[in-house]
Amino acid sequence: MRTGSDTWSRLKCYGKERAGHMRLYRIGTGCMRRREIGIIGGGASGLMAAISAAQADSSGSCKITVLEKKDRVGKKLLATGNGKCNLTNLSFSVENPQQYYRSQNPEALSGLFAQFGVQDTLKQFRRMGMLVMDRNSYVYPLSQQAATVLDTLRFTLEEQETEVVTDCAVEKITVSQKGRDTEFLVRAGGEDWLFGKLILACGSIAGEKNADFGGYALAKALGHTILKPLPALVQLRCAGSFWKGLAGVRCDARIQLLISGRGTKESYEEQGELQLTDYGISGIPVFQLSRFAAAALDAGRQVKATIDFLPGFRDNEALWQELVEEKCTSCRQRSMEVLFGGLVNKKIIQTAVKLCGLSMGDRAERKNLPAIRKVFALLRSFEVQVTDTNPFANAQVCAGGVPLTEVDGHLESRICPGLYLAGELLDADGRCGGYNLQWAWTTGYIAGKDAVLSLGKPAGQRKKGKRE
């Protein structure tokens, strides 16, 4: 660590030297104050942590620094919600978070969302000057541009004079104990930084072309367990030589995921717009199921997906059987194209007919009746073997990370006092629909606020439910 009296570190605001925003800090134990918060990661949770910390600092004397390895903060935010940024969901219920999130320790979720939930998120963004709209409970910025969310966060950081240093990858964190206090020496971007409290908000490797497990490695080096990260909210690759003929089809469907092996069986169901690709299945209902498929495949279990291309008949099987008999009667001696025409997308019909040993030009006659009934059954129960998920680069989030049992109700580490964890580094991943960003806002807010309120107080000295 540099300690010379002439050693200075010039901090960059959003990677640029901006007039009026450049501040100089002397680096060294005699000049770097302990009342400084370090945040590693400039994604959604890290930016919210910085804003929350500044808001909790009633004296305005706490210096907050965000270290971001990329050339700018919040890059992933710009891609969320197809560029519109679905930032939360009004359907969420704090009483039953397990309906929306998956974790090995789901019992911890309610307490966190009770501290900062959906309505708190809406109030926070309104306070920062951003208006929102909701579409079927999905909340977006009124502009329907993800850039608006990022700009709102950035402008708030500037107003709070929070220092953001980009192109600043963390190389090493050294923890030193002074009595009951902890200090964190962070080597990043060729500089040494000394923090009294440190928040890890590095995100996951989801969406990254080059898998970088750096955030997990930092948490592990500080004593934490890492539950193996796996792709979640991702496409599923399936066996079969017919997928190229189905590529590009979008349709409403019900998908049932069947998992077997290791002496147990499980099933999960979702319905929505299914997308067929040249390698398998995609779309929101597949994303919702993909977490379970990824975990099962990683454990060496068998995974099958059964697709119902006509889910509207699910609750009226009698009507479906009546339709089948009517079709077989009225279309007698007519081609398969006529017999099955209009039921589902033509590409699906062509594939099903071929798989049942028929061709589109074959006639609906007695000898073909068994195969015809197989086609009807296949449209309701199209079973495929899931062989893999797409890689991390295609995933929206990751499952796994630091167990929630290793942080307390304020997200402070139970293993390394003074260290906080937020966002995707923690073992909680949500469904599609704004839930993962809500997790980022919730954990970032709690960690940032508590890190400031705990400054100067020994670890564990707090009132029930909140800092003194």
Side-chain angles (χ1 to χ4, degrees):
M1 187 178 73
R2 301 181 185 180
T3 57
S5 60
D6 296 326
T7 302
W8 297 82
S9 173
R10 238 150 66 128
L11 307 184
K12 296 184 289 182
C13 187
Y14 306 113
K16 299 179 181 178
E17 296 187 6
R18 298 167 53 123
H21 291 277
M22 183 62 65
R23 297 167 69 180
L24 299 177
Y25 290 98
R26 193 185 304 273
I27 298 214
T29 54
C31 302
M32 180 72 77
R33 298 194 301 173
R34 281 203 74 263
R35 284 178 56 82
E36 186 156 359
I37 306 293
I39 301 170
I40 299 177
S45 60
L47 298 181
M48 181 58 80
I51 290 168
S52 171
Q55 290 173 348
D57 177 30
S58 58
S59 67
S61 62
C62 177
K63 295 180 177 63
I64 302 162
T65 302
V66 178
L67 305 180
E68 167 57 43
K69 67 178 180 179
K70 295 183 180 179
D71 59 354
R72 62 177 299 185
V73 297
K75 274 192 169 183
K76 282 188 180 181
L77 269 174
L78 298 176
T80 58
N82 291 322
K84 295 181 180 180
C85 194
N86 176 199
L87 65 145
T88 190
N89 197 303
L90 299 177
S91 297
F92 176 71
S93 170
V94 69
E95 287 79 23
N96 189 23
Q98 296 94 324
Q99 182 178 342
Y100 312 94
Y101 294 89
R102 302 290 180 264
S103 171
Q104 289 198 13
N105 307 103
E107 62 278 359
L109 297 173
S110 292
L112 295 171
F113 287 114
Q115 295 178 63
F116 191 86
V118 173
Q119 293 303 317
D120 298 301
T121 295
L122 299 180
K123 291 176 184 177
Q124 178 76 313
F125 276 96
R126 185 65 179 262
R127 177 181 178 181
M128 294 188 292
M130 192 184 86
L131 301 179
V132 300
M133 60 171 286
D134 80 90
R135 181 177 298 161
N136 299 322
S137 295
Y138 287 45
V139 179
Y140 299 90
L142 189 59
S143 67
Q144 297 190 63
Q145 290 183 296
T148 300
V149 178
L150 180 55
D151 285 344
T152 298
L153 296 168
R154 290 195 308 109
F155 295 156
T156 302
L157 290 171
E158 287 189 9
E159 290 168 358
Q160 295 172 342
E161 296 188 346
T162 296
E163 295 294 341
V164 178
V165 187
T166 57
D167 292 316
C168 190
V170 173
E171 303 160 29
K172 185 180 180 182
I173 301 173
T174 304
V175 183
S176 63
Q177 201 74 26
K178 294 187 175 180
R180 290 188 293 177
D181 294 330
T182 305
E183 287 184 335
F184 299 88
L185 176 63
V186 178
R187 181 70 178 176
E191 301 286 349
D192 291 315
W193 308 76
L194 189 64
F195 299 114
K197 302 292 179 181
L198 187 65
I199 300 173
L200 289 186
C202 314
S204 72
I205 55 176
E208 300 287 348
K209 291 182 179 180
N210 299 313
D212 178 4
F213 291 84
Y216 301 112
L218 292 176
K220 186 174 183 179
L222 292 170
H224 281 281
T225 305
I226 304 297
L227 301 175
K228 185 178 179 179
L230 295 169
L233 300 188
V234 69
Q235 305 86 353
L236 298 180
R237 307 186 76 88
C238 304
S241 58
F242 49 79
W243 291 108
K244 287 188 177 180
L246 292 170
V249 172
R250 292 172 179 254
C251 61
D252 187 48
R254 179 173 62 93
I255 301 98
Q256 182 182 34
L257 201 69
L258 302 168
I259 298 172
S260 60
R262 304 270 175 112
T264 61
K265 291 185 178 181
E266 303 159 33
S267 67
Y268 306 91
E269 286 188 13
E270 291 287 342
Q271 184 171 330
E273 186 182 66
L274 173 69
Q275 298 175 30
L276 303 179
T277 71
D278 60 0
Y279 55 79
I281 53 179
S282 182
I284 289 179
V286 174
F287 285 5
Q288 311 288 37
L289 296 169
S290 60
R291 192 226 203 251
F292 306 111
L297 291 168
D298 184 65
R301 302 176 70 191
Q302 296 293 312
V303 181
K304 293 181 179 180
T306 302
I307 305 168
D308 182 353
F309 289 111
L310 292 157
F313 291 97
R314 181 182 185 185
D315 297 323
N316 200 334
E317 289 298 325
L319 180 61
W320 168 248
Q321 292 303 325
E322 183 181 327
L323 180 145
V324 170
E325 295 305 321
E326 180 182 323
K327 276 277 193 179
C328 290
T329 300
S330 63
C331 295
R332 190 171 296 154
Q333 295 301 318
R334 305 179 80 175
S335 68
M336 298 298 111
E337 190 168 13
V338 174
L339 175 62
F340 296 107
L343 283 177
V344 294
N345 186 285
K346 191 172 182 178
K347 285 185 176 181
I348 298 173
I349 294 172
Q350 290 172 335
T351 300
V353 165
K354 185 176 180 180
L355 288 173
C356 292
L358 297 170
S359 67
M360 293 297 280
D362 287 341
R363 298 290 170 179
E365 51 193 17
R366 184 181 295 275
K367 68 174 184 178
N368 291 328
L369 196 55
I372 287 171
R373 293 192 179 281
K374 285 183 181 180
V375 174
F376 277 114
L378 198 59
L379 296 178
R380 299 294 314 283
S381 184
F382 192 91
E383 186 178 280
V384 294
Q385 187 80 29
V386 178
T387 59
D388 202 355
T389 68
N390 265 354
F392 287 109
N394 298 103
Q396 293 185 17
V397 296
C398 284
V402 176
L404 295 180
T405 53
E406 294 186 3
V407 293
D408 66 13
H410 304 276
L411 299 177
E412 184 176 6
S413 170
R414 298 182 188 276
I415 295 167
C416 181
L419 174 71
Y420 292 78
L421 295 102
E424 280 194 65
L425 274 184
L426 293 165
D427 172 41
D429 55 284
R431 293 168 59 85
C432 291
Y435 298 107
N436 287 292
L437 271 182
Q438 180 59 57
W439 176 249
W441 310 136
T442 292
T443 55
Y445 182 89
I446 293 172
K449 177 181 178 180
D450 199 71
V452 168
L453 296 182
S454 66
L455 281 169
K457 297 180 180 181
Q461 183 182 329
R462 54 171 67 109
K463 290 182 179 180
K464 185 178 180 180
K466 64 179 181 179
R467 291 284 184 185
E468 293 184 39

